[in-house]
Amino acid sequence: MPESSAAVPARNPSSPDETVIFSEKLWPGAWIWVVAGGIASAGILVFAPISLAAGFTAAAVLFAIEAVLLVLSTPSLAVTTRTLQVGRASIERSLIGAAAAYRGKEATAERGTRLNGLAYLCIRGWIDPVVRIEIADPSDPTPYWLTSTRRPEELVAALAGK
């Protein structure tokens, strides 16, 4: 049977001489876990009229499902000597331009009023700072990548050290 032709992100094996300069996982913040616990506790309210044990079991199962989904959907950022990986996307560092870090109101503007609809986004609502990475590839219609990061200055410095 022929293999599927569905688009799947390609992962190129790292060469031994490729050094990781920057790496970060965009884990959910503490308040996301509190919200997940609150949503899971709704299982107690739904199943408590049947049985209190069923309610606590439903809450535990709901929380486990939420935890698995949160962990599996956590993107990572990585800068190596040759590539930049943001979530599922990867690009050669020779094809990127300037990078700029934004915090507070500037970060909100980058995610909102200044956002280009063609930009590649890897943003998480629980992480305020963002880094805007210009794409210098003339054949790529994406003008820039915008990613959340808890360490924006470090990411910009890693990208500047081409």
Side-chain angles (χ1 to χ4, degrees):
M1 184 165 211
E3 288 187 26
S4 171
S5 62
V8 176
R11 298 255 185 212
N12 295 334
S14 299
S15 64
D17 61 334
E18 197 167 353
T19 305
V20 175
I21 301 168
F22 176 89
S23 180
E24 179 181 11
K25 291 281 277 184
L26 303 180
W27 294 109
W31 70 272
I32 294 295
W33 293 106
V34 171
V35 169
I39 292 170
S41 66
I44 297 172
L45 297 174
V46 171
F47 289 97
I50 298 169
S51 161
L52 200 53
F56 282 105
T57 302
V61 169
L62 283 172
F63 186 78
I65 291 170
E66 291 169 348
V68 167
L69 291 175
L70 282 170
V71 169
L72 290 178
S73 67
T74 298
S76 62
L77 310 176
V79 178
T80 67
T81 52
R82 292 184 348 177
T83 62
L84 164 66
Q85 179 200 347
V86 176
R88 295 183 196 169
S90 181
I91 190 170
E92 293 290 324
R93 288 187 56 198
S94 61
L95 299 175
I96 63 172
Y102 300 94
R103 292 181 181 270
K105 290 182 180 179
E106 288 295 312
T108 302
E110 285 296 320
R111 289 187 301 263
T113 56
R114 289 193 293 229
L115 183 64
N116 184 323
L118 296 175
Y120 171 75
L121 302 177
C122 183
I123 54 177
R124 296 296 181 256
W126 52 83
I127 302 174
D128 178 60
V130 294
V131 171
R132 178 180 169 149
I133 305 158
E134 301 293 330
I135 304 298
D137 183 1
S139 64
D140 192 343
T142 306
Y144 61 88
W145 289 8
L146 188 67
T147 182
S148 295
T149 176
R150 289 185 174 93
R151 303 174 356 230
E153 291 78 16
E154 287 180 48
L155 177 55
V156 169
L159 291 170
K162 291 182 180 180

